[in-house]
């Protein structure tokens, strides 16, 4: 295994993922893929090689890919496009050396842990999730796939967060609460009791302020 990977994405979020991959030290970034920026452009010291078709055309040279798109729904769309072009390509995880993965914790493929992120004992983080700097998920918790914990977002133990949901900047969820899928918990909120799916909730204590459709923008 040569450990040559490509990073899909070339925006601000991609810079943070690139830094995480570089510091992780497990992979060599062969270049970037992007749907909008032209092939041949240099971004953050790496060449844009093309889009998802590049993977299909150069499959034997590339050992893995990581999708560096911040929006959960958009990230899932790119993962689906990559998989349809290149069904056997592995999605790699990136873990900053300043992150902590406790005993028994599991990370799904494609997930990124940035500096200071903590996944505590026996917690399961799904696929293609992002834990930004200093985000923390305490023991025996479980997130679905395509979940974001923004910088400084934390949970207590035994918390469940559904697919595509977001715990925004500095938001906290106390032990044992359940947050449904496609839900956005606003910045600075304190979740004290269960919040259902397809909702926007914020405040202390967090309350649902409106419903939300899958894929609705939140950034
Ligand atoms: C919750 C959120 C998604 C916006 O929801 P929204 O329903 O679109 O809210 P709006 O921006 O239209 O604001 C509506 C009202 O709610 C208030 N409000 C919005 N977010 C709030 C929050 N997190 N806490 C308290 N009040 C909030 C606004 O001040 C506004 O109040 P007003 O009507 O008195 O003026 C957004 O405010 C938020 O918290 N985003 C998280 C950003 C983040 O963490 N980004 C990093 C991700 S990596």
């Amino acid at each position: 295994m040569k450990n040559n990977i490509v990073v899909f994405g070339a925006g601000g979020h991609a810079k943070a993922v690139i830094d995480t991959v570089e510091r992780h030290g497990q992979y060599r970034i062969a270049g970037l893929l992007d749907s909008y920026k032209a092939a041949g452009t240099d971004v953050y010291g790496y060449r844009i090689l093309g889009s998802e078709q590049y993977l299909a055309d150069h499959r034997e040279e590339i050992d893995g890919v990581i999708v560096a798109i911040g929006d959960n729904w958009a990230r899932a769309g790119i993962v689906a496009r990559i998989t349809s072009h290149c069904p056997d390509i592995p999605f790699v995880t990136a873990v900053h050396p300043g992150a902590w993965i406790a005993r028994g914790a599991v990370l799904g493929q494609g997930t990124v842990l940035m500096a200071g992120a903590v996944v505590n004992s026996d917690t399961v983080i799904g696929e293609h999730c992002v834990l930004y700097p200093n985000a923390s998920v305490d023991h025996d918790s479980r997130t679905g796939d395509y979940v974001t914990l923004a910088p400084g977002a934390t949970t207590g133990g035994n918390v469940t967060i559904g697919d595509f949901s977001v715990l925004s900047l500095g938001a906290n969820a106390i032990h044992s609460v359940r947050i449904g899928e496609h839900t956005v918990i606003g910045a600075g909120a304190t979740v004290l009791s269960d919040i259902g799916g397809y909702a926007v909730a914020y405040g202390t204590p967090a309350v649902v302020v409106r419903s939300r459709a899958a894929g609705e923008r939140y950034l």
Side-chain angles (χ1 to χ4, degrees), residues 88-125:
D88 66 338
I89 191 90
F91 290 94
V92 302
T93 58
V95 178
H96 193 284
W100 180 254
I101 304 172
R103 183 147 65 91
V106 177
L107 299 185
Q109 63 174 352
T111 282
V112 178
L113 263 53
M114 295 186 183
V118 176
V119 180
N120 219 344
S121 314
D122 288 332
T123 282
V124 177
I125 303 293

Side-chain angles (χ1 to χ4, degrees), residues 132 148 150-151 166 168-169 184-189 200-203 209-210 218-219:
Y132 283 87
T148 289
V166 182
S168 297
L169 281 164
V184 174
I185 306 297
V200 173
Y202 49 71
V209 291
R210 62 180 172 85
Y218 60 91
L219 290 173

Side-chain angles (χ1 to χ4, degrees), residues 6-9 32-37 39 48-62 65 77-89:
V6 291
V7 174
F8 199 113
L32 312 183
L33 303 180
D34 195 75
S35 308
Y36 301 106
K37 295 196 171 96
I48 296 182
L49 303 170
S51 194
E52 57 269 26
Q53 185 59 41
Y54 180 92
L55 283 175
D57 295 342
H58 297 81
R59 177 66 190 88
E60 67 289 350
E61 300 158 32
I62 303 296
V65 60
I78 297 294
V79 168
R81 276 165 48 189
I82 290 172
T83 304
S84 74
H85 278 75
C86 216
D88 66 338
I89 191 90

Side-chain angles (χ1 to χ4, degrees), residues 103-164:
R103 183 147 65 91
V106 177
L107 299 185
Q109 63 174 352
T111 282
V112 178
L113 263 53
M114 295 186 183
V118 176
V119 180
N120 219 344
S121 314
D122 288 332
T123 282
V124 177
I125 303 293
E127 298 183 357
H128 304 286
C129 296
V130 184
L131 271 63
Y132 283 87
N134 295 329
S136 174
V137 184
D138 211 354
H139 65 89
D140 299 300
S141 294
R142 179 173 290 266
T143 81
D145 300 331
Y146 301 101
V147 166
T148 289
L149 272 83
T154 73
T155 82
N158 289 299
V159 165
T160 304
I161 303 177
D163 294 342
F164 293 98

